[in-house]
Amino acid sequence: MSVTTDARPFSATLRASTLEVHEKANYSEYMRALLGSELSQDGYTQLAIQYYFIYGAIEAASDAMAGHPVGGEFVFDELRRLPNLERDLAHLVGPDWRSTISPLASTQAYVSRIREASTWAGGYVAHHYTRYLGDIAGGQVIRRTLEKNYDVAEAGALFYHFDEIGSAPRFRDQYRAKLDNAPWDEAERARVIDETVVAFECNVAVFDELATRLDEFRA
Ligand code: HEM
C-alpha cells in the first residue's frame, strides 16, 4: 500500500492516480464497440442488465452508509440509478425482465467486492466515485451515442439521465470538495486510491467478459 505525501487536493490525486485504469476501461473492447456503434440494441442491453446488479449493491451500501459521519456525506438520493434502470430493463428486456436477467461471473465478483469494501467509509466512497462520477462525465458520451445510433433516447437509456443533480460541473466540484475534506490521513487516502483502482478493474473485468460474446452482440 503506497502512502501519498501529495500537496494537491485529494480529489486531484485520486483522479491522477486513476487516469491509467480509466483509459483501460474507456478503451476496452466492449466499450469501443458500444461507442463505435457496432453493437445491436441487445448488445447494449447486456451492459444495462449487469449495471442492475452493480447499482443494486452500491445503492444498498448507500442505505447502510446513510448515518455514517464520513460515508453519509456521499449518499445522494438524486444519484440513485435503480429506479431508472428498472424502467430501462422493462423497455429493453420486457415486462418479465426480473425473472430473465442474471449476473455474469465478473459482475458477481464486483458485487462481492462492493459489499466487502463498503464495510469502511473510504471503500464505499471509492466504489461510489468510480461509478457515479463516471456516469455524469463519460456516461454522457454513451448517452449521446445511444440516442444517435441505437435509437434509445428515453426509456432504455434513462440510466444516463441525471435530471435531479442540476449542473453536472457544479455537482462534480461539490463532490470533489467532499473528497478533499474527508477526514482521512495519508494512509487512509492511499487505501481509498487503491480501492478505486480495484473498482475500475472490476468494471474492466465486466466489459471483458461481455466482450467474449461480441460476435453475438454485433449489429
Ligand atoms: C465509455 C467510455 C468513457 C468515456 C468516453 C469517458 C470519458 C470521461 C471524461 C471526458 C471524463 C471527464 C474528465 C475530466 O473532467 O477531466 C471522465 C471522468 C471520469 N470517468 Fe470516464 N469515461 C468513460 C468510461 C468510464 C468508465 C467505464 C468509468 C468507471 C468504471 C469511468 C469513470 C470516470 C470517473 C470516476 C471520472 C471522474 C474523474 C474525476 O473527475 O475525478 N469512465 N470520463
Side-chain angles (χ1 to χ4, degrees), residues 4 23 29 46 57 64 71 108 115 133 139 147 207:
T4 59
E23 293 305 294
E29 201 183 352
Q46 299 305 317
Q108 285 172 314
R115 290 186 180 138
L133 270 262
E147 285 168 3
F207 302 151

Side-chain angles (χ1 to χ4, degrees), residues 16-67:
S17 309
T18 54
L19 268 181
E20 195 182 325
V21 71
H22 178 264
E23 293 305 294
K24 195 173 161 190
N26 194 345
Y27 293 103
S28 59
E29 201 183 352
Y30 176 86
M31 268 300 166
R32 271 188 290 117
L34 178 65
L35 288 175
S37 305
E38 299 161 18
L39 302 181
S40 62
Q41 201 178 86
D42 179 51
Y44 156 63
T45 300
Q46 299 305 317
L47 180 63
I49 289 171
Q50 300 313 310
Y51 281 165
Y52 177 74
F53 298 102
I54 293 164
Y55 283 82
I58 297 175
E59 290 171 11
S62 292
D63 295 339
M65 270 293 163

Side-chain angles (χ1 to χ4, degrees), residues 122-144:
Y124 160 71
V125 173
H127 285 273
H128 190 278
Y129 162 87
T130 302
R131 281 307 329 177
Y132 293 107
L133 270 262
D135 297 328
I136 62 179
Q140 299 311 299
V141 176
I142 299 174
R143 176 182 174 172
R144 287 192 291 280

Side-chain angles (χ1 to χ4, degrees), residues 88 91 143 146-148 150-158 161:
D88 286 345
H91 173 79
R143 176 182 174 172
L146 292 172
E147 285 168 3
K148 237 170 81 236
Y150 287 88
D151 189 25
V152 180
E154 294 297 319
L158 296 169
H161 293 217

Side-chain angles (χ1 to χ4, degrees), residues 65-76 124-125 128 175 178 182-183:
M65 270 293 163
H68 189 281
V70 178
E73 286 291 313
F74 297 86
V75 174
F76 307 85
Y124 160 71
V125 173
H128 190 278
Y175 195 103
K178 285 179 185 284

Side-chain angles (χ1 to χ4, degrees), residues 1-4 9-19 21 65 68 70-71 74 113 117-131 133 175-176 178-202:
M1 179 170 66
S2 55
V3 174
T4 59
F10 178 58
S11 59
T13 306
L14 181 60
R15 187 154 157 252
S17 309
T18 54
L19 268 181
V21 71
M65 270 293 163
H68 189 281
V70 178
F74 297 86
R113 184 67 189 207
S118 299
T119 55
W120 54 291
Y124 160 71
V125 173
H127 285 273
H128 190 278
Y129 162 87
T130 302
R131 281 307 329 177
L133 270 262
Y175 195 103
R176 288 180 181 143
K178 285 179 185 284
L179 289 170
D180 298 340
N181 299 325
W184 295 319
D185 62 14
E186 289 309 330
E188 190 74 355
R189 283 180 168 186
R191 221 176 142 212
V192 172
I193 291 171
D194 290 347
E195 188 60 30
T196 306
V197 171
V198 169
F200 270 98
E201 293 287 5
C202 287

